[in-house]
Amino acid sequence: MQKINFSILNDHFSKNKAFWAELIGSPLKFSLESRIFHSISISLIALACVYVPYNIYAHLYVAAVSTFLIGLFFLQQYYYSRFRGKAHNSALFGLVGVLLLGVNYFSNSGINGSTDLIWPAYLLLVFAISPYRQHIKWLIVYLLCFLILHIIEYYYPSLVKYPFTEGRGQFIDRITAFPIPVVTIYIVIKFMRRSYDKERKATEEKTIAIQTLMSIISHDMRTPLMNVQSYLALLNAGVLEPEDRLVLEKALLKSTNNTMEMLSNLLHWSKSQMEGPNVNLVVVNLFTTLQGTIEMERIHALKKDISLNYYIPHELEVIADVNMLQLVVRNLISNAVKFTPYGGQITTEAEVISDECKITVSDNGKGIPLDKQEKIFSINSEPEYGTDNERGVGLGLALCKEFIERQGGRIRFESNPGVGSRFSIFIKLLIV
C-alpha cells in the first residue's frame, strides 16, 4: 500500500512539474531570461490577485490601484512573450517599477512603510530579465531614484501619507509586503542555480564524452581496420586455405557490422552536439513511419535466430520528428538484439495511454546488471558486450534519451538480470 501511495505522489508531482514547465515555456524555445520573466510574471499576478482585494479592504486605494496596474502589466507582457513570441520589454519593465514604487512610497508611509523592502527585489528582477549591458544603467537609475525619493521626503514630509496606524497597522503592512521580495529572490536564485548546475553537468559530461570518443577512435575503431588490413595481406600472399577464408570473412563481417553501428551512433551524437536542438515535429502515421525500420532490424535479428514481432495499430498518428523517432526505435531494437541470446524473442508494440503513445521494446535477454542501471542513459556509461560478443560504444541509449526528450517525450525502462528488459518511450499523440 505504501509503495502505491508513493507512486501516486510521484505521478502527481510529475504532472505538476510538467504543468509549470508548460506555463513558463520550454528551454528549446525560450531563453533563460524569458523563462525567469514568465515565472516571475505568474507569481506576481497570483500575488496581485491577493493584494488588490486586501488593499481595498484596508482602505489602501492607491496601493490597490498600483498593485492592479502591476498585475495587469505583467499579464500583458507574459501573454505576448509566452504565447505570441514577442520578447518582454525590459526597459519598460524597469521604468514601470520606478514609477509605481515611487507612487507607492509616498502613499504608504514613506521610509516607515514597506516599499523599501520591495525596491531591491524589483531591481533583482530587472537584472534577471535584462541584458548584461543594461545592468550598470539600471543600478544607477534605481540608486538615484531611491535617493531622490528619500531626500524629497526629508525636505517635504507632508507629501507622505500614513494609511496605517502605529503598532498593529505597521505590523500588518510589513507582514503582508514581505512575501513579494522573498518569492522574487527565490525564483531568480532557483533559476540561476539550476541553469548553472545544468551547464556545469553538461560541460563535465561532454569532457568525458570527448575522452571516450578519443579512446574509441584510437582503439575500438582502429582494431577492425587493422584486422581487415591483416586479412588483405594474407590474401595477397596467397597463404589462405578456402575454409580459413570463410571463417575469417565471417569474423570480419561481424566486426565490420559492429563498427558501422559504432560509427553511426558516434556521427549522430557528434552532429547533435554541434548543431544543438533542431527538431522538426510533424504529424505522422506511426505504423508507416516505423515499419521499414523494424523490418531492417528483423534481418539483423534473424542472424541470431531471434524472433522479432511488432504490434502497432495502423490508425495511430503521433507528433514526432521522423528521423529522430526512427533512430530511437532502431537503437532500442538493436540493443535488444545485441543482448538477447540465439533463439530469443523481441517484441515491439504501441498503445495509447491518456494523451500519449507508448512504444515498448521488450526482450528475454540477459538484462541489465543492477549496478549498471543507474547510468545506462549517461554518455559516460561503460559499454557492455552482447551475447555474441558484440561491443557497443555506450552512446546508443544516451542518444535515445536525448532525441526523445527533444521531441517533448520521455523514456523509461524495466530490467531484471537473466530475465530481460523493457524499454518504453512516450511521445505526443494526435488527438482529433
Side-chain angles (χ1 to χ4, degrees), residues 177-190:
F178 186 71
I180 297 177
V182 169
V183 170
T184 299
I185 292 170
Y186 167 75
I187 291 173
V188 173
I189 297 300
K190 178 183 177 182

Side-chain angles (χ1 to χ4, degrees), residues 23-24 29-30 34 37-38 41 45 71-89 92:
L23 286 177
I24 66 174
K29 296 182 180 179
F30 297 96
S34 294
F37 178 75
H38 296 161
S41 297
I45 291 167
L72 194 64
F73 170 71
F74 273 100
L75 179 62
Q76 184 264 347
Q77 289 285 298
Y78 168 76
Y79 172 74
Y80 276 93
S81 175
R82 175 64 184 86
F83 299 105
R84 300 290 292 273
K86 185 177 179 181
H88 61 272
N89 191 325
L92 184 60

Side-chain angles (χ1 to χ4, degrees), residues 21-22 24-31 35 82:
E22 183 68 22
I24 66 174
S26 167
L28 300 179
K29 296 182 180 179
F30 297 96
S31 66
R35 285 180 287 122
R82 175 64 184 86

Side-chain angles (χ1 to χ4, degrees), residues 85-313:
K86 185 177 179 181
H88 61 272
N89 191 325
S90 56
L92 184 60
F93 178 86
L95 292 174
V96 166
V98 169
L99 177 62
L100 293 179
L101 288 174
V103 171
N104 195 67
Y105 179 83
F106 286 103
S107 65
N108 189 20
S109 305
I111 198 171
N112 296 312
S114 59
T115 308
D116 282 354
L117 286 174
I118 304 174
W119 276 97
Y122 200 92
L123 180 58
L124 180 62
L125 299 186
V126 176
F127 287 158
I129 67 170
S130 61
Y132 288 115
R133 64 181 182 274
Q134 296 181 6
H135 287 184
I136 294 296
K137 296 177 182 177
W138 284 121
L139 178 63
I140 294 172
V141 167
Y142 270 70
L143 285 175
L144 285 175
C145 290
F146 183 85
L147 181 62
I148 291 170
L149 288 175
H150 286 72
I151 291 174
I152 292 174
E153 180 190 9
Y154 180 77
Y155 285 103
Y156 302 97
S158 60
L159 294 177
V160 177
K161 307 298 180 184
Y162 294 90
F164 286 112
T165 58
E166 290 187 10
R168 183 174 179 272
Q170 289 179 331
F171 170 76
I172 294 175
D173 179 41
R174 292 297 177 95
I175 292 299
T176 54
F178 186 71
I180 297 177
V182 169
V183 170
T184 299
I185 292 170
Y186 167 75
I187 291 173
V188 173
I189 297 300
K190 178 183 177 182
F191 266 89
M192 293 300 184
R193 283 291 302 274
R194 181 181 291 175
S195 177
Y196 170 76
D197 291 341
K198 192 176 290 184
E199 288 294 327
R200 184 181 63 181
K201 184 179 179 182
T203 301
E204 290 174 353
E205 288 192 343
K206 284 182 181 180
T207 301
I208 295 171
I210 291 171
Q211 294 172 348
T212 305
L213 290 176
M214 294 305 295
S215 173
I216 292 166
I217 293 170
S218 64
H219 180 266
D220 293 354
M221 296 191 69
R222 185 167 173 261
T223 301
L225 291 175
M226 290 178 63
N227 291 339
V228 172
Q229 185 181 40
S230 300
Y231 171 73
L232 291 175
L234 291 172
L235 191 64
N236 189 54
V239 296
L240 286 176
E241 298 295 331
E243 58 271 18
D244 293 331
R245 283 184 57 181
L246 288 175
V247 173
L248 285 173
E249 286 172 359
K250 185 177 180 181
L252 285 175
L253 179 61
K254 176 183 170 183
S255 176
T256 303
N257 288 336
N258 290 338
T259 304
M260 285 298 296
E261 184 184 344
M262 282 189 206
L263 182 60
S264 176
N265 281 337
L266 281 172
L267 291 175
H268 280 296
W269 183 84
S270 301
K271 183 180 179 182
S272 72
Q273 298 306 304
M274 288 187 293
E275 295 182 355
N278 185 20
V279 184
N280 181 29
L281 294 178
V282 293
V283 177
V284 295
N285 180 276
L286 188 64
F287 181 84
T288 305
T289 301
L290 295 182
Q291 184 181 25
T293 299
I294 297 174
E295 290 293 346
M296 286 294 294
E297 292 304 315
R298 176 178 272 175
I299 296 173
H300 297 306
L302 287 174
K303 295 177 183 177
K304 292 178 70 174
D305 197 26
I306 294 173
S307 172
L308 173 56
N309 299 308
Y310 57 99
Y311 307 96
I312 301 175

